[in-house]
Amino acid sequence: MTAPDQIDLFGAAGPPEPVVAGFDYWAEVLSACEQAALVGALQTLTFKPYEHRGYLGHRRIAAFERGDGAAGWPVVLSDLVARLASGLAFDPAAFVQVLVNEYAPGAGIGCPIRLMSRSRRWR
């Protein structure tokens, strides 16, 4: 049984309408070849453990900041930001940080425990 508001995972129904105002779904933002090249390029980044207030998260990160120009950013990220900025009608210089997260297989991606304890939803 399928609920009327359930998203079709196999594309027969076409792209869903945005659930959040201002959120766009770009089905073909990268071709299959571009996706493969991006994955390969991302695998060459130098990742470090994510640390916040003395605790290590269950992910590794590669963080980049734009100083003057795109110095310090890998070319692949500069190209991706330029493409996204163009599609959003933004100036690429408006993007000043890029954070790439790497989650190991089996790593949970979820709500932090401290937030769960404050929310009625999790009780």
Side-chain angles (χ1 to χ4, degrees):
M1 184 164 141
T2 303
D5 60 349
Q6 184 174 349
I7 296 173
D8 176 20
L9 297 177
F10 303 103
E17 289 296 317
V19 176
V20 178
F23 180 81
D24 292 327
Y25 176 72
W26 298 350
E28 302 298 327
V29 70
L30 296 173
S31 70
C33 289
E34 290 170 322
Q35 290 175 35
L38 179 60
V39 168
L42 292 177
Q43 290 174 336
T44 68
L45 297 178
T46 302
F47 288 89
K48 64 179 184 176
Y50 172 73
E51 185 270 326
H52 181 73
R53 296 185 180 180
Y55 295 94
L56 293 178
H58 294 284
R59 66 177 183 261
R60 296 187 322 150
I61 62 168
F64 304 93
E65 289 191 38
R66 184 190 306 262
D68 295 327
W73 285 28
V75 172
V76 67
L77 293 180
S78 295
D79 293 346
L80 183 60
V81 166
R83 180 178 288 193
L84 294 173
S86 173
L88 295 168
F90 285 173
D91 177 358
F95 292 85
V96 296
Q97 294 180 324
V98 173
L99 178 66
V100 181
N101 289 287
E102 176 195 66
Y103 290 88
I109 301 174
C111 184
I113 297 295
R114 63 180 162 59
L115 293 180
M116 290 170 47
S117 65
R118 295 181 193 162
S119 172
R120 290 183 188 154
R121 178 178 173 205
W122 298 102
R123 291 183 193 169

